Amino acid sequence: MSKVVTFGEIMLRLAPEGYLRFAQADRLEATYGGGEANVAVSLAHFGVDAAFVTKLPNNDIGQAALNALRRFGVDTGKIKRGGARLGIYYIEKGASQRASKVIYDRAGSSIAAASVDDFEWDSIFEGAEWFHFTGITPALGGNLPEICKQACKIAKSKGITISCDLNYRKNLWSKDTAREIMGGLMQYVDICIANEEDAGDVFGIKADDTDISGGKLSHDGYKSVARQLKERFGFKKVAITLRGSISASDNNWAGMLYDGESYYFSKNYAVHIVDRVGGGDSFGAGLIYSSLTGKSPQDALEFAVAASCLKHTIEGDFNLVTADEAEKLSGGDGSGRVQR
């Protein structure tokens, strides 16, 4: 299977047990996660040779994060060690009409303080066919916009397919800054992945006749969003996740793919959520895997949506789903019956 390289930040995730609020918790569960790391773990579970690149502190916590990736078969050989600390995020899972809450403590993390010279991209991309990053990574500031640009330039020069999930985070940067920096990076991107809000927040391209908070999504509106993104930046494909938020516990989940000629929409899943963090990352991983394995656009989309549907049922950031499990769901078996 082809090699995929992902680049970004992995963080320590601290969460109260179950659905306790922060104010109720007297202990926090420690796991690890982050956009591009989540994609790498998903791909490794699908049988892909997935490498994650970042910078981690040379201490026991940095090693624990690295071990978490190794546990699931991710190649960590190009991770740079050094810097002051690992970023942290705290998550309080919502339920019913109470929204989930995330608090970041990532300022001054090792990756945020990385230098351009920390990463030897010619060596990192040896044997790679695909490179993936998200809008979160350049949003961390410092040298990361330039590091991402350098990685994209070298990947492009080697004929490597580049995918980017826009992943706008308002707590990391302003819309104006995101538009300027992401606009400069998009010239290198082949496949753009977004959710129902990203295109509007970053590039001012909004879906008409859509009410995200009310769970109303317009197919025609998202066709327009995908077409405008492709026309502006020349992407080969645009993929959009379509989340109809009924409550924090229940969502409708589907996706759309546009290849410049046709629009493809997946089946819709009524998802009862265990943990929604990483849902978009698992969609991206599913799309990468199905593209590498030569699936048709419709089948690729169905696989990606099925894989991410299953992620919503798994605690933690990582999507611990096999390709066979995603294939079975995308083929129509969503019964949830015991497998014996």
Side-chain angles (χ1 to χ4, degrees):
M1 181 67 72
S2 304
K3 178 181 174 182
V4 177
V5 174
T6 74
F7 173 63
E9 179 173 38
I10 187 169
M11 292 177 288
L12 172 64
R13 166 179 160 149
L14 297 176
E17 295 177 293
Y19 292 91
L20 293 178
R21 305 213 70 184
F22 288 131
Q24 296 175 285
D26 58 7
R27 62 181 63 86
L28 297 173
E29 181 183 17
T31 55
Y32 297 88
E36 298 89 348
N38 299 344
V39 171
V41 170
S42 288
L43 289 169
H45 265 76
F46 296 152
V48 176
D49 180 5
F52 176 63
V53 178
T54 190
K55 187 173 184 178
L56 294 175
N58 194 19
N59 58 30
D60 289 348
I61 303 302
Q63 187 63 42
L66 189 147
N67 291 347
L69 294 164
R70 286 179 173 170
R71 175 185 177 189
F72 296 114
V74 175
D75 179 354
T76 60
K78 299 299 184 181
I79 289 179
K80 179 75 173 179
R81 303 303 294 269
R85 60 175 298 228
L86 189 72
I88 302 171
Y89 86 94
Y90 303 83
I91 179 167
E92 175 188 282
K93 291 200 299 181
S96 192
Q97 278 67 46
R98 175 172 61 83
S100 297
K101 182 182 293 184
V102 172
I103 299 171
Y104 289 112
D105 176 18
R106 63 203 304 181
S109 67
S110 292
I111 186 65
S115 70
V116 173
D117 295 334
D118 280 332
F119 305 102
E120 297 289 340
W121 292 109
D122 280 316
S123 173
I124 290 168
F125 286 137
E126 186 174 348
E129 187 171 331
W130 199 291
F131 174 55
H132 178 79
F133 72 105
T134 79
I136 295 173
T137 302
L140 297 173
N143 296 307
L144 283 167
E146 182 57 32
I147 294 172
C148 287
K149 184 176 181 180
Q150 184 184 72
C152 286
K153 280 185 173 180
I154 294 174
K156 183 63 70 175
S157 72
K158 293 177 177 292
I160 295 170
T161 298
I162 301 174
S163 58
C164 177
D165 189 332
L166 294 182
N167 262 354
Y168 175 71
R169 296 291 184 268
K170 65 182 179 181
N171 291 332
L172 294 178
W173 56 359
S174 69
K175 292 179 181 179
D176 288 342
T177 303
R179 185 172 300 116
E180 178 184 355
I181 292 176
M182 293 302 291
L185 292 171
M186 290 302 100
Q187 64 180 300
Y188 304 102
V189 172
D190 298 296
I191 299 176
C192 177
I193 302 167
N195 66 20
E196 64 274 11
E197 298 174 275
D198 289 335
D201 287 334
V202 180
F203 298 122
I205 300 173
K206 299 182 181 295
D208 295 331
D209 198 27
T210 291
D211 178 6
I212 295 166
S213 60
K216 178 185 177 184
L217 303 179
S218 163
H219 280 197
D220 286 340
Y222 284 104
K223 285 181 179 179
S224 174
V225 168
R227 185 180 66 254
Q228 290 180 68
L229 283 169
K230 189 178 188 309
E231 288 174 350
R232 184 179 299 186
F233 298 109
F235 303 129
K236 293 179 181 177
K237 295 178 182 178
V238 176
I240 299 177
T241 55
L242 305 175
R243 184 186 296 277
S245 296
I246 299 168
S247 70
S249 300
D250 294 282
N251 285 181
N252 288 314
W253 183 250
M256 188 203 82
L257 180 66
Y258 176 56
D259 63 5
E261 295 182 359
S262 300
Y263 300 93
Y264 304 89
F265 286 88
S266 75
K267 62 173 67 72
N268 181 75
Y269 295 94
V271 181
H272 185 69
I273 296 172
V274 172
D275 192 329
R276 65 164 282 180
V277 177
D281 303 321
S282 56
F283 174 82
L287 199 64
I288 294 169
Y289 170 82
S290 51
S291 298
L292 288 171
T293 52
K295 292 183 182 294
S296 70
Q298 186 67 54
D299 288 345
L301 178 64
E302 295 289 359
F303 180 91
V305 172
S308 56
C309 171
L310 291 171
K311 164 60 196 79
H312 287 74
T313 71
I314 298 171
E315 293 273 9
D317 273 50
F318 297 156
N319 190 22
L320 309 181
V321 166
T322 66
D324 285 345
E325 289 171 322
E327 292 279 15
K328 188 170 185 178
L329 179 57
S330 67
D333 186 354
S335 65
R337 292 176 63 85
V338 175
Q339 303 297 307
R340 301 184 191 276

